[in-house]
mmCIF file of all heavy atoms in Angstrom:
data_model
loop_
_atom_site.group_PDB
_atom_site.id
_atom_site.type_symbol
_atom_site.label_atom_id
_atom_site.label_comp_id
_atom_site.label_asym_id
_atom_site.label_seq_id
_atom_site.Cartn_x
_atom_site.Cartn_y
_atom_site.Cartn_z
ATOM 1 N N ASN D 1496 109.015 93.925 137.672
ATOM 2 C CA ASN D 1496 109.807 95.108 138.017
ATOM 3 C C ASN D 1496 110.499 94.941 139.361
ATOM 4 O O ASN D 1496 111.620 95.426 139.562
ATOM 5 C CB ASN D 1496 108.910 96.345 138.039
ATOM 6 C CG ASN D 1496 108.513 96.804 136.643
ATOM 7 O OD1 ASN D 1496 109.271 96.634 135.683
ATOM 8 N ND2 ASN D 1496 107.333 97.375 136.518
ATOM 9 N N ALA D 1497 109.848 94.250 140.299
ATOM 10 C CA ALA D 1497 110.454 94.006 141.607
ATOM 11 C C ALA D 1497 111.702 93.149 141.464
ATOM 12 O O ALA D 1497 112.714 93.377 142.133
ATOM 13 C CB ALA D 1497 109.447 93.320 142.531
ATOM 14 N N LEU D 1498 111.636 92.170 140.554
ATOM 15 C CA LEU D 1498 112.782 91.295 140.323
ATOM 16 C C LEU D 1498 113.931 92.064 139.675
ATOM 17 O O LEU D 1498 115.102 91.888 140.037
ATOM 18 C CB LEU D 1498 112.359 90.119 139.442
ATOM 19 C CG LEU D 1498 113.351 88.976 139.276
ATOM 20 C CD1 LEU D 1498 113.750 88.383 140.619
ATOM 21 C CD2 LEU D 1498 112.761 87.892 138.372
ATOM 22 N N LYS D 1499 113.591 92.931 138.736
ATOM 23 C CA LYS D 1499 114.623 93.767 138.111
ATOM 24 C C LYS D 1499 115.337 94.615 139.160
ATOM 25 O O LYS D 1499 116.571 94.740 139.146
ATOM 26 C CB LYS D 1499 113.997 94.690 137.062
ATOM 27 C CG LYS D 1499 113.435 94.017 135.839
ATOM 28 C CD LYS D 1499 112.788 95.069 134.935
ATOM 29 C CE LYS D 1499 112.049 94.466 133.780
ATOM 30 N NZ LYS D 1499 111.356 95.482 132.961
ATOM 31 N N SER D 1500 114.559 95.203 140.061
ATOM 32 C CA SER D 1500 115.126 96.092 141.081
ATOM 33 C C SER D 1500 116.031 95.331 142.046
ATOM 34 O O SER D 1500 117.012 95.878 142.552
ATOM 35 C CB SER D 1500 113.999 96.778 141.863
ATOM 36 O OG SER D 1500 113.225 97.588 141.009
ATOM 37 N N ALA D 1501 115.703 94.069 142.309
ATOM 38 C CA ALA D 1501 116.475 93.283 143.278
ATOM 39 C C ALA D 1501 117.812 92.811 142.709
ATOM 40 O O ALA D 1501 118.773 92.618 143.444
ATOM 41 C CB ALA D 1501 115.655 92.074 143.732
ATOM 42 N N ALA D 1502 117.886 92.639 141.384
ATOM 43 C CA ALA D 1502 119.083 92.068 140.757
ATOM 44 C C ALA D 1502 120.275 93.012 140.808
ATOM 45 O O ALA D 1502 120.127 94.230 140.899
ATOM 46 C CB ALA D 1502 118.767 91.724 139.299
ATOM 47 N N THR D 1503 121.472 92.436 140.756
ATOM 48 C CA THR D 1503 122.679 93.247 140.566
ATOM 49 C C THR D 1503 122.633 93.903 139.197
ATOM 50 O O THR D 1503 122.951 95.079 139.029
ATOM 51 C CB THR D 1503 123.940 92.365 140.681
ATOM 52 O OG1 THR D 1503 123.903 91.631 141.904
ATOM 53 C CG2 THR D 1503 125.199 93.213 140.626
ATOM 54 N N SER D 1504 122.221 93.112 138.211
ATOM 55 C CA SER D 1504 121.986 93.632 136.861
ATOM 56 C C SER D 1504 120.987 92.714 136.177
ATOM 57 O O SER D 1504 120.808 91.570 136.576
ATOM 58 C CB SER D 1504 123.288 93.711 136.050
ATOM 59 O OG SER D 1504 123.853 92.438 135.882
ATOM 60 N N TYR D 1505 120.321 93.234 135.139
ATOM 61 C CA TYR D 1505 119.342 92.402 134.442
ATOM 62 C C TYR D 1505 119.380 92.698 132.955
ATOM 63 O O TYR D 1505 119.848 93.755 132.513
ATOM 64 C CB TYR D 1505 117.929 92.626 134.997
ATOM 65 C CG TYR D 1505 117.330 93.979 134.702
ATOM 66 C CD1 TYR D 1505 116.643 94.221 133.505
ATOM 67 C CD2 TYR D 1505 117.452 95.036 135.608
ATOM 68 C CE1 TYR D 1505 116.091 95.462 133.237
ATOM 69 C CE2 TYR D 1505 116.910 96.286 135.345
ATOM 70 C CZ TYR D 1505 116.224 96.491 134.152
ATOM 71 O OH TYR D 1505 115.688 97.723 133.880
ATOM 72 N N VAL D 1506 118.886 91.729 132.182
ATOM 73 C CA VAL D 1506 118.844 91.858 130.724
ATOM 74 C C VAL D 1506 117.465 91.413 130.257
ATOM 75 O O VAL D 1506 117.011 90.324 130.599
ATOM 76 C CB VAL D 1506 119.905 90.981 130.039
ATOM 77 C CG1 VAL D 1506 119.827 91.129 128.519
ATOM 78 C CG2 VAL D 1506 121.300 91.312 130.551
ATOM 79 N N GLU D 1507 116.800 92.271 129.477
ATOM 80 C CA GLU D 1507 115.519 91.892 128.893
ATOM 81 C C GLU D 1507 115.766 91.193 127.564
ATOM 82 O O GLU D 1507 116.542 91.669 126.735
ATOM 83 C CB GLU D 1507 114.633 93.119 128.693
ATOM 84 C CG GLU D 1507 114.134 93.713 129.998
ATOM 85 C CD GLU D 1507 113.118 94.824 129.784
ATOM 86 O OE1 GLU D 1507 113.378 95.700 128.939
ATOM 87 O OE2 GLU D 1507 112.088 94.803 130.467
ATOM 88 N N MET D 1508 115.077 90.065 127.398
ATOM 89 C CA MET D 1508 115.225 89.273 126.179
ATOM 90 C C MET D 1508 113.884 89.183 125.451
ATOM 91 O O MET D 1508 112.826 89.201 126.088
ATOM 92 C CB MET D 1508 115.713 87.875 126.547
ATOM 93 C CG MET D 1508 117.078 87.843 127.220
ATOM 94 S SD MET D 1508 118.428 88.107 126.056
ATOM 95 C CE MET D 1508 118.525 86.481 125.303
ATOM 96 N N PRO D 1509 113.886 89.037 124.107
ATOM 97 C CA PRO D 1509 115.079 89.047 123.273
ATOM 98 C C PRO D 1509 115.619 90.463 123.132
ATOM 99 O O PRO D 1509 114.876 91.431 123.288
ATOM 100 C CB PRO D 1509 114.562 88.529 121.925
ATOM 101 C CG PRO D 1509 113.141 88.984 121.897
ATOM 102 C CD PRO D 1509 112.660 88.886 123.310
ATOM 103 N N ARG D 1510 116.891 90.560 122.860
ATOM 104 C CA ARG D 1510 117.453 91.871 122.569
ATOM 105 C C ARG D 1510 116.810 92.388 121.272
ATOM 106 O O ARG D 1510 116.358 91.605 120.441
ATOM 107 C CB ARG D 1510 118.970 91.764 122.390
ATOM 108 C CG ARG D 1510 119.692 91.240 123.627
ATOM 109 C CD ARG D 1510 121.187 91.220 123.368
ATOM 110 N NE ARG D 1510 121.918 90.514 124.406
ATOM 111 C CZ ARG D 1510 122.275 91.043 125.572
ATOM 112 N NH1 ARG D 1510 121.944 92.291 125.846
ATOM 113 N NH2 ARG D 1510 122.948 90.332 126.451
ATOM 114 N N GLN D 1511 116.774 93.701 121.116
ATOM 115 C CA GLN D 1511 116.110 94.287 119.946
ATOM 116 C C GLN D 1511 116.688 93.749 118.642
ATOM 117 O O GLN D 1511 115.961 93.485 117.683
ATOM 118 C CB GLN D 1511 116.222 95.808 119.989
ATOM 119 C CG GLN D 1511 115.337 96.448 121.044
ATOM 120 C CD GLN D 1511 115.346 97.962 120.981
ATOM 121 O OE1 GLN D 1511 116.190 98.565 120.327
ATOM 122 N NE2 GLN D 1511 114.408 98.582 121.674
ATOM 123 N N GLU D 1512 118.006 93.564 118.611
ATOM 124 C CA GLU D 1512 118.639 93.059 117.386
ATOM 125 C C GLU D 1512 118.188 91.635 117.086
ATOM 126 O O GLU D 1512 117.963 91.271 115.924
ATOM 127 C CB GLU D 1512 120.169 93.102 117.534
ATOM 128 C CG GLU D 1512 120.900 92.639 116.279
ATOM 129 C CD GLU D 1512 122.406 92.670 116.431
ATOM 130 O OE1 GLU D 1512 122.901 93.065 117.507
ATOM 131 O OE2 GLU D 1512 123.092 92.288 115.468
ATOM 132 N N GLN D 1513 118.040 90.800 118.138
ATOM 133 C CA GLN D 1513 117.594 89.426 117.931
ATOM 134 C C GLN D 1513 116.173 89.384 117.381
ATOM 135 O O GLN D 1513 115.870 88.600 116.476
ATOM 136 C CB GLN D 1513 117.667 88.660 119.252
ATOM 137 C CG GLN D 1513 119.082 88.422 119.751
ATOM 138 C CD GLN D 1513 119.094 87.857 121.161
ATOM 139 O OE1 GLN D 1513 118.307 88.240 122.009
ATOM 140 N NE2 GLN D 1513 120.010 86.927 121.413
ATOM 141 N N GLU D 1514 115.302 90.228 117.933
ATOM 142 C CA GLU D 1514 113.920 90.252 117.456
ATOM 143 C C GLU D 1514 113.858 90.775 116.017
ATOM 144 O O GLU D 1514 113.126 90.238 115.185
ATOM 145 C CB GLU D 1514 113.065 91.134 118.365
ATOM 146 C CG GLU D 1514 111.584 91.073 118.018
ATOM 147 C CD GLU D 1514 110.719 91.818 119.023
ATOM 148 O OE1 GLU D 1514 111.270 92.462 119.945
ATOM 149 O OE2 GLU D 1514 109.492 91.762 118.866
ATOM 150 N N ARG D 1515 114.643 91.796 115.727
ATOM 151 C CA ARG D 1515 114.667 92.343 114.369
ATOM 152 C C ARG D 1515 115.162 91.288 113.373
ATOM 153 O O ARG D 1515 114.569 91.111 112.294
ATOM 154 C CB ARG D 1515 115.568 93.583 114.313
ATOM 155 C CG ARG D 1515 115.597 94.246 112.930
ATOM 156 C CD ARG D 1515 116.345 95.565 112.959
ATOM 157 N NE ARG D 1515 117.739 95.415 113.341
ATOM 158 C CZ ARG D 1515 118.261 95.840 114.495
ATOM 159 N NH1 ARG D 1515 117.495 96.448 115.372
ATOM 160 N NH2 ARG D 1515 119.531 95.657 114.768
ATOM 161 N N ASN D 1516 116.218 90.573 113.724
ATOM 162 C CA ASN D 1516 116.749 89.525 112.841
ATOM 163 C C ASN D 1516 115.727 88.416 112.618
ATOM 164 O O ASN D 1516 115.635 87.844 111.523
ATOM 165 C CB ASN D 1516 118.037 88.941 113.420
ATOM 166 C CG ASN D 1516 119.193 89.913 113.367
ATOM 167 O OD1 ASN D 1516 119.153 90.900 112.626
ATOM 168 N ND2 ASN D 1516 120.229 89.667 114.152
ATOM 169 N N HIS D 1517 114.955 88.101 113.668
ATOM 170 C CA HIS D 1517 113.928 87.071 113.562
ATOM 171 C C HIS D 1517 112.893 87.463 112.514
ATOM 172 O O HIS D 1517 112.539 86.660 111.629
ATOM 173 C CB HIS D 1517 113.257 86.877 114.925
ATOM 174 C CG HIS D 1517 112.042 86.013 114.894
ATOM 175 N ND1 HIS D 1517 112.101 84.663 114.612
ATOM 176 C CD2 HIS D 1517 110.726 86.302 115.105
ATOM 177 C CE1 HIS D 1517 110.885 84.153 114.658
ATOM 178 N NE2 HIS D 1517 110.024 85.123 114.954
ATOM 179 N N TYR D 1518 112.402 88.692 112.574
ATOM 180 C CA TYR D 1518 111.397 89.138 111.613
ATOM 181 C C TYR D 1518 111.987 89.301 110.214
ATOM 182 O O TYR D 1518 111.313 89.011 109.210
ATOM 183 C CB TYR D 1518 110.736 90.437 112.094
ATOM 184 C CG TYR D 1518 109.672 90.167 113.128
ATOM 185 C CD1 TYR D 1518 109.963 90.209 114.487
ATOM 186 C CD2 TYR D 1518 108.386 89.827 112.748
ATOM 187 C CE1 TYR D 1518 108.993 89.922 115.436
ATOM 188 C CE2 TYR D 1518 107.402 89.544 113.682
ATOM 189 C CZ TYR D 1518 107.714 89.595 115.027
ATOM 190 O OH TYR D 1518 106.747 89.307 115.955
ATOM 191 N N ASN D 1519 113.240 89.726 110.134
ATOM 192 C CA ASN D 1519 113.904 89.780 108.821
ATOM 193 C C ASN D 1519 113.928 88.393 108.183
ATOM 194 O O ASN D 1519 113.654 88.240 106.984
ATOM 195 C CB ASN D 1519 115.337 90.298 108.963
ATOM 196 C CG ASN D 1519 115.405 91.785 109.234
ATOM 197 O OD1 ASN D 1519 114.403 92.500 109.127
ATOM 198 N ND2 ASN D 1519 116.572 92.269 109.598
#
């Protein structure tokens, strides 16, 4: 969380669509 706060912007991976496609 500290790293997220320090960033200009952040992205959590995998994106929900990527994880959903993986299980599909």
Side-chain angles (χ1 to χ4, degrees):
N1496 286 329
L1498 190 57
K1499 293 177 187 176
S1500 297
T1503 307
S1504 62
Y1505 69 86
V1506 180
E1507 290 187 313
M1508 298 284 282
R1510 300 182 190 278
Q1511 287 186 346
E1512 182 181 359
Q1513 292 171 321
E1514 187 173 5
R1515 182 172 62 250
N1516 290 343
H1517 170 67
Y1518 280 94
N1519 286 349

